[in-house]
Amino acid sequence: MADDAPHRVVVHLDRLLAERDMTLVELSERVGLSVVNLSVLKNGRARAIRFSTLTAICDALGCAVAELLEVEAATEDDDAQ
């Protein structure tokens, strides 16, 4: 996969925040990340995430990694690339 190729990872940060009645600003304060960096992740534009960051987000949200991140099934178009 080329560096600029789209990925199939879906981030469910919006849903998890809404379920917990938590804002992105509050999550930012709890995990020590900037709102901008969390926004990049939330909007699916992040290209990587550190395990320590993933752990901190899951701890703050009280969720499992699988609740936060999902890999969509490959389509035939993906297979052709």
Side-chain angles (χ1 to χ4, degrees), residues 18-50:
E19 289 173 357
R20 288 149 178 80
D21 198 30
M22 186 184 299
T23 66
L24 202 60
V25 171
E26 185 178 350
L27 181 61
S28 169
E29 291 168 353
R30 289 185 182 196
V31 299
L33 291 172
S34 72
V35 174
V36 171
N37 284 339
L38 285 173
S39 182
V40 167
L41 177 64
K42 180 181 74 127
N43 294 319
R45 294 189 318 263
R47 301 300 289 168
I49 184 169
R50 293 178 184 193

Side-chain angles (χ1 to χ4, degrees), residues 45-75:
R45 294 189 318 263
R47 301 300 289 168
I49 184 169
R50 293 178 184 193
F51 288 141
S52 59
T53 300
L54 189 56
T55 301
I57 291 170
C58 288
D59 285 349
L61 293 173
C63 70
V65 173
E67 294 174 273
L68 179 62
L69 303 175
E70 174 186 0
V71 178
E72 292 182 328
T75 64

